[in-house]
Amino acid sequence: MSTSPEPSSSAAEGRQTHGFQAEVRELLKLMIHSLYSHREIFLRELISNASDANDRLRFAAIGQPELLSSDTELAIRVEADPAAGTVTIIDNGIGMTREEAIANLGTIARSGTAEFFRSLSGERQKDAQLIGQFGVGFYSAFIVADRVEVLSRKAGLPAESGVHWESQADGEFTVGTVTREERGTAVRLHLKAEAKEFADPFRLRSLIRRYSDHIAFPVRMRKEGEASLEYETVNQAKALWVRPRADIPDEEYRQFYQHLAHDFTEPLAWSHNRVEGKREYTSLLYIPGRAPFDLWQRDAARGLKLYVKRVFIMDDAEQFLPLYLRFVKGVVDSSDLPLNVSRELLQQEPEVEAIRSSLTKRVLDMLGKLAKDEPEKYAAFWKEFGAVLKEGIGQDVANRAALLPLLRFASTHEASDEPVAGLAQYLERMKPGQDWIYYIIAESVAVARKSPYIEQLTGHGVEVLLLDQRIDEWVMSQIEGFEGKRFKDAARGDLALGTLESEADRTQHEEALKESKSLLKKVKDAVGDSILEVRVSARLKDSPACLVLDEHDLSTGLRRILEAAGQKVPESKPALELNVDHPLVKYLDGLTDAARFKELSLLLHEQAQLAEGGQLGNPAEFVQRLNRLLVSLTSDHAE
Ligand code: ADP
């Protein structure tokens, strides 16, 4: 790398002014305000970009070695000028053409960005976190600078095709064509008055050591002493994942994550491994602490950074992890893949399939360990990514045994509605004689907790998992059981209480069945054909009635979704279950007035529909019925 003290350029020609894309303007505004307390991250971001640019040139030079010409040592330089209040970050990497500078430094090419900015709240503390999820990159220069200049020349192009880009973050930037002798990019920051400390070489050195030590290229600064022309390397200049685990302090792992993910929050966990033998590769995988804003965006970038024998090959190599682990960030460095491997080739490479399968296991192991050793951190993970991990139940049948213990649910065992119960803990808490893992699905955890369907279960001290997400119904339909115990939806079929019921309870239940025969028939006649049958309930304790579907019937929730989507769904009739110990049902049994019997039967049916979150066929009729009943109460009292 040439070491002329400052990047040179002649006066720019063909000057043009452009407006920033609206999203960039939004980002600049928010970032400058909300990242003030993290402002030193600008250096890490710019050195990261310089390192990427060098990586990309090295990759391009595999096929076109002439791109390197005589300047073959890829490096990064940081120049400070305390008198002028400037700091300049210089690389001799791939560089940019004028068009590329306009596109790359004037727009954000990430889908969903506009929606993301619209969703930001304006509360500084929160937005700082959210912008962290977004990754600020180049634009972070404007946290400390009121004017930024970029000089660049694309590798392989002549000196006259240099570009000069400049902006004061006022909504516009200008570009001009210049002659630039050096290949690559120099980013010069004219520091704000209150950020002049960043022109101090001493401060810069310490920041580089702290944030950019792991950058694989040498980051150089001038030796101390006035006007020294000699440079020295400030960082370790060795790819982090190449170093032995024992030599890497946690803090460096964290810094590397922040460089990799452009995220200034801390990762929850990481796993660094070298595999040797028939197959050779190194991987370093991180579980982020926060979900990126585009986690649910179909076309969002995902995957690992791929290196082959330390040479950067591509970002976002998706083939190394399944979709349901798309939140994982990291690096994979293979010694076996060819340097000219392309995305298409990756899809067919059996080597990649083998790495993918062992990386998947590694991530699941890492999560298993986190769940076991640091349940609080795991709870934080589940909050951010649990819904994504659940997709794995359907996508990855081979690893289901490892996935099941990672699931978390809200539960009647917990006072709070947070999903903290695991299946392993559920098994430990099962009652003697309990054969099933019970769950209930409702609109919310609070509704599930109050559900009439689980009254007897909770009355017997049996734990019930409380599910409330749309995906849950599908997840539960995929899994049969866990460690020999099967799942049972408390709202369906026979609750199979088995020996959970005492002998006395059972005899009582059987007697009730016998005694209630005629009542059941009368209620069925009163309610009519919308129900399959009327039964004596084993699941109710405090409520008088509920509707119960058969094990194989489509759930009411799913039915509603399908019907809303215009699908024809096979009809399934629920059974109406009555709690024969309930005073209302006892009263019904004793009624001789046929009209009143019918009224009350219909009311019981209607309230059962409401309790399961259903909609009434004719709400007005229900209200009239209810009011007639209430009025009759008042007249009873008047008597
Ligand atoms: P990101 O690096 O996450 O893509 P940035 O905002 O940091 O986002 O940069 C935007 C783009 O500008 C980069 O993707 C890259 O194409 C280009 N760029 C930034 N810095 C450099 C550099 N030093 N050399 C070449 N290109 C660069």
Side-chain angles (χ1 to χ4, degrees):
M1 184 176 194
S2 80
T3 52
S4 62
E6 282 288 287
S8 59
S9 73
S10 57
E13 287 167 28
R15 246 179 205 295
Q16 281 178 327
T17 301
H18 294 260
F20 281 119
Q21 180 197 22
E23 286 90 316
V24 175
R25 279 207 294 270
E26 204 60 40
L27 172 64
L28 286 171
K29 206 167 66 198
L30 273 160
M31 192 187 55
I32 293 167
H33 291 294
S34 53
L35 290 186
Y36 192 76
S37 51
H38 301 273
R39 58 196 184 141
E40 73 278 2
I41 63 159
F42 81 92
L43 191 64
R44 184 190 75 208
E45 297 292 308
L46 296 179
I47 291 179
S48 247
N49 281 353
S51 161
D52 289 349
N54 285 355
D55 262 340
R56 268 187 273 160
L57 175 60
R58 189 157 61 181
F59 175 65
I62 298 169
Q64 284 177 276
E66 68 279 8
L67 285 180
L68 288 171
S69 63
S70 59
D71 189 7
T72 55
E73 201 230 351
L74 297 171
I76 297 163
R77 248 184 322 132
V78 176
E79 295 281 357
D81 185 340
T86 63
V87 53
T88 310
I89 293 93
I90 306 155
D91 64 67
N92 57 347
I94 192 80
M96 282 177 272
T97 62
R98 181 176 171 134
E99 290 68 35
E100 285 170 340
I102 294 171
N104 296 341
L105 310 181
T107 57
I108 300 171
R110 233 174 128 180
S111 66
T113 308
E115 291 82 347
F116 171 71
F117 282 113
R118 234 172 281 136
S119 74
L120 291 188
S121 64
E123 285 169 53
R124 269 187 208 176
Q125 196 52 39
K126 239 166 92 196
D127 289 345
Q129 293 281 333
L130 290 168
I131 285 201
Q133 287 170 270
F134 181 78
V136 286
F138 168 77
Y139 301 103
S140 63
F142 289 100
I143 309 174
V144 293
D146 43 24
R147 182 154 79 93
V148 176
E149 285 182 274
V150 179
L151 280 163
S152 192
R153 196 190 100 204
K154 181 97 176 176
L157 295 187
E160 307 78 67
S161 53
V163 56
H164 176 260
W165 179 104
E166 177 171 351
S167 174
Q168 302 189 21
D170 50 1
E172 291 180 339
F173 62 90
T174 61
V175 280
T177 300
V178 292
T179 298
R180 175 166 159 75
E181 298 302 330
E182 301 84 0
R183 175 192 68 216
T185 304
V187 179
R188 183 180 298 151
L189 315 187
H190 298 266
L191 297 167
K192 294 178 184 172
E194 75 278 11
K196 295 278 191 229
E197 62 185 276
F198 295 111
D200 170 11
F202 185 77
R203 176 97 160 98
L204 287 169
R205 266 167 218 274
S206 94
L207 287 177
I208 292 169
R209 286 202 195 98
R210 185 147 115 232
Y211 292 125
S212 308
D213 204 35
H214 50 75
I215 292 285
F217 299 97
V219 179
R220 299 201 172 111
M221 286 188 65
R222 275 194 240 188
K223 278 194 172 158
E224 277 169 60
E226 277 293 295
S228 168
L229 285 181
E230 269 186 74
Y231 285 80
E232 62 185 348
T233 302
V234 183
N235 65 336
Q236 291 214 30
K238 195 165 182 205
L240 181 96
W241 63 92
V242 178
R243 290 160 51 195
R245 255 194 320 224
D247 294 357
I248 309 175
D250 285 359
E251 190 45 34
E252 277 194 58
Y253 276 119
R254 289 194 197 105
Q255 296 302 347
F256 185 70
Y257 164 77
Q258 297 184 332
H259 151 76
L260 198 70
H262 288 287
D263 175 5
F264 59 82
T265 63
E266 300 213 333
L268 284 177
W270 57 84
S271 165
H272 179 194
N273 294 281
R274 192 193 314 279
V275 173
E276 276 161 345
K278 192 166 119 261
R279 183 164 288 126
E280 277 186 28
Y281 65 90
T282 302
S283 62
L284 173 51
L285 307 174
Y286 288 95
I287 309 293
R290 309 253 328 180
F293 80 95
D294 52 3
L295 185 65
W296 296 100
Q297 211 99 42
R298 265 178 183 282
D299 50 355
R302 63 182 183 90
L304 305 176
K305 237 176 153 74
L306 172 66
Y307 287 75
V308 171
K309 300 186 191 74
R310 322 277 172 271
V311 178
F312 166 78
I313 305 293
M314 67 179 82
D315 278 311
D316 315 323
E318 303 175 348
Q319 293 77 4
F320 291 93
L321 284 172
L323 186 62
Y324 75 93
L325 296 180
R326 60 183 174 275
F327 51 84
V328 174
K329 301 273 182 207
V331 167
V332 55
D333 185 345
S334 157
S335 301
D336 308 318
L337 291 171
L339 278 169
N340 62 358
V341 68
S342 63
R343 266 179 213 279
E344 294 68 45
L345 232 73
L346 282 182
Q347 274 163 14
Q348 303 147 11
E349 193 60 60
E351 174 71 24
V352 174
E353 193 48 47
I355 299 179
R356 171 192 171 106
S357 134
S358 60
L359 293 186
T360 303
K361 289 206 170 63
R362 272 207 204 293
V363 175
L364 297 179
D365 275 357
M366 176 165 39
L367 291 175
K369 238 178 114 224
L370 192 68
K372 187 160 155 276
D373 301 341
E374 295 176 274
E376 272 165 31
K377 275 196 183 171
Y378 189 76
F381 160 78
W382 186 259
K383 221 170 159 166
E384 294 290 312
F385 302 111
V388 181
L389 197 70
K390 276 184 197 168
E391 295 173 8
I393 293 291
Q395 282 171 25
D396 192 356
V397 180
N399 283 307
R400 194 171 279 179
L403 273 164
L404 286 177
L406 295 175
L407 299 180
R408 290 294 177 272
F409 305 90
S411 155
T412 53
H413 179 77
E414 308 289 336
S416 92
D417 287 350
E418 295 297 316
V420 289
L423 293 174
Q425 295 96 307
Y426 185 101
L427 291 194
E428 283 167 19
R429 294 192 286 254
M430 273 170 83
K431 294 275 163 211
Q434 182 181 344
D435 289 327
W436 303 82
I437 300 173
Y438 293 97
Y439 67 91
I440 180 94
I441 305 181
E443 299 283 302
S444 70
V445 173
V447 170
R449 201 184 283 281
K450 290 264 175 294
S451 165
Y453 297 103
I454 65 172
E455 288 172 356
Q456 276 295 344
L457 288 169
T458 49
H460 282 96
V462 172
E463 179 173 0
V464 182
L465 302 176
L466 308 171
L467 317 190
D468 71 334
Q469 292 186 355
R470 194 167 278 189
I471 188 179
D472 287 331
E473 187 149 352
W474 171 84
V475 168
M476 297 321 270
S477 72
Q478 299 285 311
I479 45 183
E480 279 175 2
F482 178 68
E483 305 208 338
K485 295 287 181 191
R486 305 235 309 276
F487 289 92
K488 190 166 232 5
D489 181 348
R492 281 168 186 273
D494 178 5
L495 268 195
L497 291 176
T499 53
L500 282 173
E501 263 187 322
S502 67
E503 200 55 49
D505 280 349
R506 234 187 332 239
T507 331
Q508 202 192 350
H509 190 75
E510 273 157 25
E511 279 185 11
L513 275 179
K514 272 188 236 145
E515 286 168 15
S516 313
K517 266 213 166 113
S518 81
L519 170 71
L520 301 183
K521 182 168 180 316
K522 271 162 64 191
V523 175
K524 167 75 174 111
D525 291 343
V527 176
D529 272 347
S530 60
I531 53 171
L532 180 72
E533 59 175 350
V534 184
R535 297 198 289 247
V536 173
S537 182
R539 66 191 87 219
L540 298 175
K541 196 157 157 262
D542 306 315
S543 307
C546 67
L547 287 167
V548 177
L549 284 169
D550 190 45
E551 305 282 359
H552 306 290
D553 286 343
L554 210 55
S555 77
T556 324
L558 212 54
R559 167 181 297 278
R560 252 177 258 143
I561 295 170
L562 290 175
E563 281 174 347
Q567 293 220 35
K568 251 193 111 48
V569 237
E571 226 197 312
S572 54
K573 283 187 191 173
L576 178 66
E577 289 195 355
L578 296 181
N579 175 1
V580 291
D581 294 329
H582 195 278
L584 212 51
V585 177
K586 285 195 168 146
Y587 172 76
L588 183 71
D589 200 14
L591 268 181
T592 45
D593 178 338
R596 205 156 182 177
F597 184 93
K598 180 156 181 154
E599 284 273 275
L600 196 51
S601 299
L602 289 172
L603 266 175
L604 282 177
H605 177 226
E606 284 160 335
Q607 65 154 277
Q609 281 174 283
L610 288 175
E612 61 149 25
Q615 277 176 359
L616 298 178
N618 192 337
E621 261 181 22
F622 165 72
V623 173
Q624 285 163 6
R625 234 190 298 285
L626 187 64
N627 285 339
R628 275 198 296 274
L629 187 75
L630 294 175
V631 169
S632 77
L633 284 181
T634 54
S635 56
D636 282 354
H637 270 276
E639 275 164 23

